Amino acid sequence: MKEKPWAGRFKQGVNKKFEQFSESISFDYRLARYEVQVGIAHIEMLSKKRIISKKDARKIVQGLKKIEQEIKAGRFQFKPELEDVHMNIEARLFELIGESAGKLHIARSRNDLVATDVRLWLKDELKIVQGRLKSIVQTLLEKAEKQIGIVMPGFTHTRFAQPVLLSHWLLAYAQMLIRDYQRFAQLLKSADLCPLGSGALAGSNYPLDRNLVAKKLGFSGITENSLDAVSDRDFLIEFASVSAILMMHLSRLSEELIGLSGEAYRFFELPESLCTGSSIMPNKKNPDSAELIRGKAGRVFGDLIALLVMMKGTPLAYNRDFQEDKPAVFDCADTVKNCLEIMELIVKGLKPNKREMEKACEQGYILATDLADYLVKKGMGFRQAHQVVGRLVRYCEENGKKFEELKLEEFRKMSKLFGREVYKLFSLRASVEAKDVPGGTATLQVKRQIKKIKLILKK
Amino acid sequence: MKEKPWAGRFKQGVNKKFEQFSESISFDYRLARYEVQVGIAHIEMLSKKRIISKKDARKIVQGLKKIEQEIKAGRFQFKPELEDVHMNIEARLFELIGESAGKLHIARSRNDLVATDVRLWLKDELKIVQGRLKSIVQTLLEKAEKQIGIVMPGFTHTRFAQPVLLSHWLLAYAQMLIRDYQRFAQLLKSADLCPLGSGALAGSNYPLDRNLVAKKLGFSGITENSLDAVSDRDFLIEFASVSAILMMHLSRLSEELIGLSGEAYRFFELPESLCTGSSIMPNKKNPDSAELIRGKAGRVFGDLIALLVMMKGTPLAYNRDFQEDKPAVFDCADTVKNCLEIMELIVKGLKPNKREMEKACEQGYILATDLADYLVKKGMGFRQAHQVVGRLVRYCEENGKKFEELKLEEFRKMSKLFGREVYKLFSLRASVEAKDVPGGTATLQVKRQIKKIKLILKK
Amino acid sequence: MKEKPWAGRFKQGVNKKFEQFSESISFDYRLARYEVQVGIAHIEMLSKKRIISKKDARKIVQGLKKIEQEIKAGRFQFKPELEDVHMNIEARLFELIGESAGKLHIARSRNDLVATDVRLWLKDELKIVQGRLKSIVQTLLEKAEKQIGIVMPGFTHTRFAQPVLLSHWLLAYAQMLIRDYQRFAQLLKSADLCPLGSGALAGSNYPLDRNLVAKKLGFSGITENSLDAVSDRDFLIEFASVSAILMMHLSRLSEELIGLSGEAYRFFELPESLCTGSSIMPNKKNPDSAELIRGKAGRVFGDLIALLVMMKGTPLAYNRDFQEDKPAVFDCADTVKNCLEIMELIVKGLKPNKREMEKACEQGYILATDLADYLVKKGMGFRQAHQVVGRLVRYCEENGKKFEELKLEEFRKMSKLFGREVYKLFSLRASVEAKDVPGGTATLQVKRQIKKIKLILKK
Amino acid sequence: MKEKPWAGRFKQGVNKKFEQFSESISFDYRLARYEVQVGIAHIEMLSKKRIISKKDARKIVQGLKKIEQEIKAGRFQFKPELEDVHMNIEARLFELIGESAGKLHIARSRNDLVATDVRLWLKDELKIVQGRLKSIVQTLLEKAEKQIGIVMPGFTHTRFAQPVLLSHWLLAYAQMLIRDYQRFAQLLKSADLCPLGSGALAGSNYPLDRNLVAKKLGFSGITENSLDAVSDRDFLIEFASVSAILMMHLSRLSEELIGLSGEAYRFFELPESLCTGSSIMPNKKNPDSAELIRGKAGRVFGDLIALLVMMKGTPLAYNRDFQEDKPAVFDCADTVKNCLEIMELIVKGLKPNKREMEKACEQGYILATDLADYLVKKGMGFRQAHQVVGRLVRYCEENGKKFEELKLEEFRKMSKLFGREVYKLFSLRASVEAKDVPGGTATLQVKRQIKKIKLILKK
């Protein structure tokens, strides 16, 4: 079978440049093992439904299993002139078992076939991604538990804002990644339908048992409309969009790790084994691992756009444009999996620098909000209290003083409500523990948060 | 309260150009009614927890209700110099009730406030979008039921492929929109958490009952980490990504409606009331409604990118960059709602042209696959059958003949398996009804599909 | 003229919801003054070519000038039911001068008209953007000149790398903005062609003098193919893509300004009048202006994608999808102009903190590369020198020492090539001045750079 | 040299997973030949400036030339554990010539090196792209010249609008591609600057002759600011944005070729050698080549977004994120080059079907605008003439008549201005020739257009 499968209708052969341009085997070879699985399930069903003979079925299944072994062993020869994964495997089957191979493609089309293959692929990828997400959340959790005593400045607008527990900061990222996990889980559910039997676009002329095939392949159901089924790429776009959000989260964590491990902050030390030096500057220890993850966010956003644009304005049902789905989603999956793996290594190796974090908290009048709330609790309206403390900050700045260095009279010049007990406020620990509401940074609340996440992970 | 709420700490006033640049009231005024609701729920909780007095609470709630009426009546004056919706409403409260207004902002921050407002807004929008999706699916369903007898050419690669029922084609879009519906429903669930009480970033110094506030506002739960809660925009990005997929679907339907209602196909007539003419060419009746929807797909893809890029690489927690979320999601919501409304009108008014559809089916040797399957059923391998029929098509083309015009000898020159009963195949209806597998285009299967969709809509 | 201009051919009126959906006057009103200019130039040409009478021409031009005044005075009433800017102005002309107004649209179409209007608009916007770019580069230049003595740590990978002049850092951004300037200038040239006379798609039945109209409107030439001319939006996409690169530059500058003015670095103080405080934390002084600019980068990337997607896969010539070009480019232009204006204010008000910059240079073994080059000059291969200094850095770190605190023996333990003169290297100034190659950070080279930029600005 | 070049400073080795994650040799091997060229030019300059000895220089250059041969012959072994193209080549140099290889990296950094390599690469790619653009425009031109007599319906809104010459339609795409050509040419100019000598970020401690190196490498100048030079990726983003516009053009041409060669129009026949069949439907001849090009538009838009996002918010100077530039631009360049090559094959093989085009022109009242202009020339206002002809179209539609089938009385019922000579209008050829304005579709104008394009191509 050197000829194209559709050569009968054509007078001319295929232009060689076009053959190269349109081949997909250089990337869809990744689907080979799913292609074989689908072939086996399909043939077994055809045989059961007596659409082909048991003998033919046995021969074909044996051939496919041989091919499966060749693929696993890396011995299978993919040939560009055979266009795609489907034709590569069919051609090999002809070589192995002869003319019976011609029955493999009864009651199916490359349109429903590739849709089935890629869904199986996605399901496997989703499980890997979910596993890595779980693992990194677990790591964040362990860090948060172990380091629960450390206080760091919390930021808004990249400015010191209020003190928080380092654990609380770690868990903020755990929360993001849990949401990602749940989105991937949801996608796994919604993508879990088998399109095989949709034919090229209209269904099949044979009395297929689609549910049987779906079951054999591990799908939880079948698709409902053949025109839609062969042209639906929603699950791939959703994979890219869910991945884009995840990469956005990782870009944020990367940004913080890069910044806060820098010479100015020194809040963290990154594991040396995940840094590189410079080819010219002997002093450098660069956070390349985090930088690469941050940079790869763009790559996944690009994959998402590629997919959306590819589909935009295309009519029903299958169009060849759709072949471009695979380079984008393969790239997306690889990027996401690799970034998660490396980010987990970073988090694992991350050493917090308690002293630097606490030293930083002495800057930026980080307890000002606690002072305002103090006044409120003494009866002042919040808006007024805010003004009073604002003036106090300005006064301190102009006089180069910290709050705790002010005399009581200086406080009382701003408001008569200030009393001696105000000095008790000037403790990072006290400030943190006062945030004792659900979701707040008080130790108890953070521990509660850890427990909840553990419950989610157990599911 | 002409002054900025944070003026105490500052020596200089705000630059006027910067004030204009940074104001958000020109768009976040849309959140005003949610802002008021949140204020009332918050104050009632503060009062219950004895953080403020009942008297103050009563005054503030009355003030807020007055403001609510002003907003509903369109009488509320939004002022750019008051920056945003929060400060506009607080300032008005000061006007109405005096100094007690200063207590409104106890135990909350604009950071958790805006996150709460925008979630309430999103929940309402999601319900509207879901309603419109249901409605358009319903319309497609009705059309599919009424027009179940009509056969049209199904396409792949924009080429006639196999005959399908018009109803099957309509339902393909219904399937897409149902997936969209389910994605919006899923988002509604996952976004349904109240961030209020997260404070600026660290939680609150007051003994808040966050669950009570959430319940009052109709949320099903509360967020779990304050740092995350004030900087989480996942639900907005997800809204944009789910919307992007929906708009992609609408762009495909638009493309088909534009093409298939054109002079070359005449499969459909678009309602004149949704077309426009030309300012110069008196002959034109243009499908502007569908074109605009197709064009607006780009707009929503753009909103999605805007949001992802805005978040990329930003540190915890809130950053002012995030203010840019609202123009993007407001634009996205408006576009989606309007496009759904107009698309429903188009579908409702769409008149299929049965004769043209059937005439078209005479072209393109649309029954060739049925011929190949006929040979297979007579015992030929599929690959060989495909070749035989391919040669037959070429023969017909070269001799300007249709299949049904061939003599039996001509068939038998290609394969001895052809018998007289082959002529029974040349019926569109027979071809359609032969696709009698789940998801196929046979009438029974299409009816089954309709039933299933109805069940989903009932939920 | 309450009727649609194309009502003759239609039996039904327009659906009201569709009318609202498809109107463009809510944004294309911005083109009104260009519409009038184009009308006047067109009519004067028609009159000169005797296509209409002088009398009619005079009447129409007078009417259009009246309308021009109404627009300038803000008295012109734009009506949504009149669809777009073209029909609004034509309708008003009918009110003002009666039936002669019917001749305004001779030999033109909304397709060529809007393409002409929007090119005129773009040319004006480009000039404003160029002006602002020049102005901000000028400001950077002045700062660079005044502050030429200040040394700061240069960064790679967000880590201290080598000392550079603050002026050199400022000029790096000047270089980016000059490239932006040149891109906008190039676009101004390539977009400067008049499409009027292309008609709806095919040209015109009248003996028009297209060059005369182009000249009257200030264009440097005319478009060459009518089909292309009415559907070409390249210049708008290019505007968005050039703007996207500019916004990327501004996002980088913003990022650095936000980071380097933070509590950990304190390299810069941002003007208080461009910062805001917090509604809850009285201590905050937030760099909102820079944050908003950074956030708006996404917005412009989104506009670019919207335009590309809008055009993707659309056939020749005009399609209604193209109406969506204007919201995107208007948003892009406003964003760019505002961000440039605010960024200039920031740069103008920026106060460098020399002491902090120099203190920072003491960290990070920032002179290590100079040490390596010292060894090279003494004859060592660079690769080896790099290794030696790398070990030296490690030795210093482990012993908590700076280079200059090492004894000569300690140096010589690493390499015998070290001599006493090595201590002369430990001067920031010396390190900076040693980078005396074109484009390097030595004072002379930086001054040379300033001169060159001034020459470019003079052009 | 098995060790990392920066190993001296590090205690730990590099994590293996991180090594795999961060390697770039799997894609930047493409830069190898530029890397060698740059090395040779650099060393020759160092020798001339007596920074290294002539002997060392000779040895290194000989080594590099040997490497160059190995690369050309495909014998060079790229090793992932050596990170990138720079270290691979340096390591091989060590193998070939021993310790002198350590001098290759004097006065340069990977930061300025890769920026130089990639600019050289881009320059070569731009020339190839320009060549292919010229070639395809040439092909369009030849077709336009040969087929100048054929009339086809011009479209707006995918509806028949007015008749145009097929040549005019072909030239519309030539115009787009010429603009693309000019944009690539402009980019070639602006990117043609050599960054070598910028060092890691600050310039170099050696008395380099940067202009000499630039000249040796064929650059027309040098970059002006070292911080900017090592972090500038504008030229790559611009490459992607210019490519995105080109791909948008190709997507439009693809869309038209797909549509107009379909069964409903049959305006064109696509070369069979660029079509494929179906694996299941023996009747199919699918326009896969054009579909793939259309689909790949999304891919290039995605590359553009990836680059913009990668740069967004990154501080000066080099960051490791930037390594992600190469996968995006390599993909962009390959896609653009391949699509141009295939599109030229399609255009070359395209057979217009004159009869079908002319038959189509009988539909859609395509001469209605000529009728309106006829009335205007008889003295009617255009707005009124439009209404009259609009009613005429409606009358014809309702009575199933064409214009030329109406009796004179029927015309005169609509307007007394109609005279017998109206029947002369009903000629496609007459309609086309009447569009005799520059840019119009009249034969003379189209010939003039061809001449102009030829002049541009000659430059």
Side-chain angles (χ1 to χ4, degrees), chain B residues 237-262:
Chain B
I237 302 177
E238 217 179 326
F239 176 55
S241 72
V242 170
S243 297
I245 297 177
L246 162 60
M247 288 302 298
M248 178 273 282
H249 292 152
L250 295 184
S251 83
R252 300 186 73 189
L253 179 50
S254 297
E255 172 85 6
E256 293 219 79
L257 292 174
I258 294 165
L260 300 181
S261 67

Side-chain angles (χ1 to χ4, degrees), chain C residues 25-34 78 85 121 125 329-331 333-334 337:
Chain C
I25 193 64
S26 62
F27 49 88
D28 69 12
Y29 74 90
R30 289 209 200 195
L31 300 177
R33 62 196 197 88
Y34 303 109
F78 295 104
V85 66
W121 168 83
E125 293 294 305
V329 294
F330 290 167
D331 186 68
D334 292 347
K337 287 186 299 182

Side-chain angles (χ1 to χ4, degrees), chain A residues 158-159 265, chain C residues 256-268:
Chain A
T158 324
R159 294 288 177 272
Y265 289 100
Chain C
E256 292 218 82
L257 292 174
I258 294 165
L260 300 181
S261 67
E263 290 97 342
Y265 290 99
R266 298 185 179 281
F267 285 5
F268 297 108

Side-chain angles (χ1 to χ4, degrees), chain B residues 263-280:
Chain B
E263 290 96 341
Y265 290 98
R266 298 186 180 283
F267 285 5
F268 297 108
E269 191 159 353
L270 296 176
E272 217 176 77
S273 62
L274 301 171
C275 293
T276 68
S278 157
S279 73
I280 169 167

